[in-house]
Amino acid sequence: MLTEEVTIGASSHDSESYRKSLLAGYLYRFLLECINRHDNTRTSTPSPSSTSTHSTTTADTGHLNGTTHTDTDTDPDTDIDREGGGARIWQPLAKPDNERLVTGDAKYTGDVAMDKRALYGAYVTSEHAKATLLRVDGSEAMRVDGVVDIVTSEDFTLNRMINTVTAWDTNLLESVVPIGGQSRFVGQPVALVLAATEDTARKAAHVVKVEWADIQTPVVTIAQAMAAKREYKKMFEGRKGDIAPFEAVFSSRGTADLQVVKGKVDCGSQLHFYLEPQVAVACPDEDGRMTVHTATQGPQYVHENVALALGLPQHKVDVRLRRLGGGFGGKSTGSVPVAIMAAVAARKAGRPVHVSPTRHQDAAMTGGREEIELDYEAAFDRSGRIHAIRASVHVNCGCAGNLAYMCGKYIAEFLEQAYELQNFYLLSKLWITDLPMRMPVRAPGGLPAALAIETILDHIASSLSLDQADVRRANHLTETSLTSAMYVNGEMAA
């Protein structure tokens, strides 16, 4: 009834239907609070029982319904006192901030209070994956009412490459395309427009003129990267046992005792899709200090890189993190360029700056899981038991290979999963393309490894006309299985 009677217009960020559902949610929350206040005025009387009884009310569970829960047939000797609450190990315990999260009271980085002097940043991004940036013309944007300034690579105080994001002692990519330098993927930041409101900044960003030269055809697939010989310097070899005795089996495509299947597994990329996009709020402080509020999984990387970009000792940079709003690997290093841009902009303007890309910009800038192609050969007997596997993995790293190495390494380490592979050899190669830098997504290397071994088992079952479950049982780990005798690049795998 509320959503039908109340008229709410759409904003530049949210649809009308979403805003109406939000209003209904706030009303529902208000009614629940009224019910809780009413229930809390009543006294709960434990039901008589000869066994231990535990009453759980709204106060100690964080639940909104204010109900009372009674346990019977419990052993008082197993009670565990958690912060005086008398909790038992088999009872669910609510997270301390559950109620704040589900009611919308929880504060995220994007909710950091901004004073009247604060500015909002909006990205201008590259429309070319591989081109030379000649000039950024923000004259028309500067005429938009409320626009204060435009930040480019020229505003970084040290040399042009100081805005390179670093992690694990390696250079990854530029936070913003250097003027005179080359873009590395579509959606890479080119400039940042600063304005009094976020809407104004985003509108002005659309009228910034960017001049490009030497526009080249991008390399986006593994096959294209192979043809262009764009192999990354690192590769990984995973081995267990010895496949040398099986080389003749693979070459002849089988023998009287062993059969061979050969195939390919393709695993595409997936985005992290966290609820809160990348965001940072930078606030200049006295004595040249900088405070950066950031939603990051790697505060140490933000700390180091902001200090580098500003030319400050690290003790003059204060990084603050409350909660992520989702991450899944995308905010490990993906949050760093946003924090750098906010800090550089805040220093230039001398005012707090809030930077958060749109959802589309966030997806284009952050990348996702690496695309992989895995070619395999498996030798097995009539029961479906695997005797040897030989495989090669090709990983699409995007524009930088430093993070994708984890995928290449962990595919080799995780290939066994729940199965006993006595002999296998796997070679992982990494390939550079003109796509956003691929980065860890929940269990890097684990998902494609699981997909690969399960596909191989299905292929074997199909070739033998056996039930897939029977083939899996024939290869399952046993109580005497050895799972640690695998080596990746000559080192024992963890």
Side-chain angles (χ1 to χ4, degrees):
M1 182 179 69
L2 178 68
T3 56
E4 294 176 355
E5 294 185 356
V6 176
T7 301
I8 303 178
S11 72
S12 61
H13 305 296
D14 307 313
S15 66
E16 180 180 354
S17 61
Y18 171 74
R19 290 162 67 84
K20 283 186 175 181
S21 68
L22 192 63
L23 178 61
Y26 283 137
L27 176 60
Y28 179 61
R29 173 188 165 189
F30 168 74
L31 294 175
L32 287 176
E33 289 179 349
C34 291
I35 293 172
N36 277 334
R37 283 196 295 269
H38 173 71
D39 286 351
N40 287 338
T41 60
R42 298 184 300 176
T43 302
S44 297
T45 304
S47 57
S49 173
S50 59
T51 57
S52 66
T53 301
H54 175 69
S55 296
T56 304
T57 64
T58 302
D60 57 49
T61 64
H63 291 172
L64 294 174
N65 57 12
T67 58
T68 299
H69 175 69
T70 302
D71 283 331
T72 57
D73 300 326
T74 59
D75 182 1
D77 293 335
T78 60
D79 288 359
I80 294 178
D81 185 17
R82 181 177 294 193
E83 297 180 359
R88 297 182 176 89
I89 59 175
W90 59 85
Q91 292 177 334
L93 292 174
K95 292 172 62 176
D97 59 350
N98 264 0
E99 188 166 337
R100 286 192 295 273
L101 292 171
V102 300
T103 59
D105 278 344
K107 302 300 181 184
Y108 294 86
T109 302
D111 299 318
V112 171
M114 305 290 283
D115 62 35
K116 294 181 179 179
R117 299 174 57 251
L119 300 175
Y120 292 82
Y123 278 109
V124 179
T125 59
S126 170
E127 58 185 2
H128 301 292
K130 194 174 183 182
T132 301
L133 176 61
L134 296 182
R135 190 167 66 96
V136 177
D137 181 3
S139 56
E140 187 175 346
M142 289 299 297
R143 289 194 288 270
V144 176
D145 186 33
V147 173
V148 174
D149 209 340
I150 296 177
V151 179
T152 69
S153 65
E154 295 181 338
D155 293 301
F156 287 77
T157 53
L158 303 182
N159 64 71
R160 188 190 307 170
M161 294 304 292
I162 197 61
N163 59 340
T164 298
V165 177
T166 61
W168 297 298
D169 299 320
T170 56
N171 291 332
L172 298 178
L173 78 164
E174 299 83 6
S175 304
V176 60
V177 180
I179 295 178
Q182 193 175 68
S183 62
R184 303 177 68 178
F185 58 90
V186 172
Q188 186 177 7
V190 171
L192 189 75
V193 177
L194 301 180
T197 68
E198 193 169 45
D199 282 345
T200 300
R202 289 180 175 175
K203 290 176 182 176
H206 287 296
V207 299
V208 173
K209 293 182 174 60
V210 182
E211 187 176 344
W212 299 93
D214 190 26
I215 300 172
Q216 303 178 40
T217 301
V219 171
V220 295
T221 68
I222 292 174
Q224 291 171 344
M226 288 180 177
K229 299 181 179 179
R230 297 176 67 173
E231 185 177 354
Y232 186 57
K233 58 185 178 181
K234 287 186 178 181
M235 67 178 184
F236 298 93
E237 292 182 292
R239 64 179 72 242
K240 182 178 180 183
D242 185 9
I243 69 165
F246 300 92
E247 292 293 349
V249 179
F250 289 131
S251 299
S252 61
R253 298 301 302 274
T255 63
D257 298 322
L258 297 176
Q259 299 182 41
V260 173
V261 292
K262 184 177 182 179
K264 182 176 183 178
V265 177
D266 292 320
C267 183
S269 177
Q270 301 91 41
L271 290 175
H272 309 81
F273 207 76
Y274 26 73
L275 291 179
E276 183 181 37
Q278 305 282 5
V279 60
V281 179
C283 304
D285 207 339
E286 60 185 7
D287 195 26
R289 297 174 181 271
M290 185 67 66
T291 298
V292 181
H293 301 266
T294 174
T296 181
Q297 292 173 272
Q300 68 275 32
Y301 308 138
V302 172
H303 192 206
E304 174 190 359
N305 282 277
V306 168
L308 283 172
L310 299 180
L312 292 175
Q314 291 190 21
H315 72 272
K316 287 195 172 184
V317 176
D318 182 13
V319 175
R320 300 185 183 183
L321 166 65
R322 175 165 288 182
R323 50 176 60 89
L324 282 178
F328 319 116
K331 293 178 180 175
S332 54
T333 56
S335 56
V336 178
V338 180
I340 290 175
M341 286 300 291
V344 171
R347 183 185 59 183
K348 182 179 182 182
R351 298 157 69 174
V353 172
H354 177 289
V355 177
S356 183
T358 66
R359 179 66 70 183
H360 292 291
Q361 289 175 336
D362 187 292
M365 292 162 52
T366 306
R369 193 187 299 273
E370 305 85 351
E371 299 93 332
I372 71 104
E373 296 177 2
L374 185 145
D375 298 296
Y376 64 85
E377 293 177 285
F380 54 94
D381 59 31
R382 290 188 179 90
S383 70
R385 175 72 176 174
I386 296 174
H387 288 252
I389 290 179
R390 181 171 63 186
S392 60
V393 179
H394 301 282
V395 181
N396 189 335
C397 304
C399 64
N402 308 65
L403 296 182
Y405 86 89
M406 286 193 291
C407 179
K409 179 174 183 287
Y410 292 155
I411 287 177
E413 291 190 8
F414 298 155
L415 184 65
E416 285 187 289
Q417 297 289 303
Y419 306 104
E420 183 174 22
L421 304 179
Q422 295 179 343
N423 306 287
F424 78 80
Y425 173 80
L426 185 147
L427 175 65
S428 288
K429 290 188 176 183
L430 313 180
W431 300 93
I432 301 297
T433 59
D434 301 316
L435 293 172
M437 179 182 67
R438 296 324 193 212
M439 59 183 61
V441 179
R442 269 300 173 82
L447 184 146
L451 177 63
I453 189 61
E454 298 295 345
T455 300
I456 293 172
L457 291 168
D458 286 347
H459 195 169
I460 292 172
S462 177
S463 69
L464 293 172
S465 298
L466 295 176
D467 188 285
Q468 295 175 347
D470 291 336
V471 173
R472 283 171 168 78
R473 277 191 287 268
N475 289 280
H476 270 166
L477 293 168
T478 66
E479 292 181 357
T480 59
S481 296
L482 183 63
T483 59
S484 61
M486 187 188 69
Y487 294 82
V488 178
N489 282 18
E491 295 183 0
M492 179 74 76

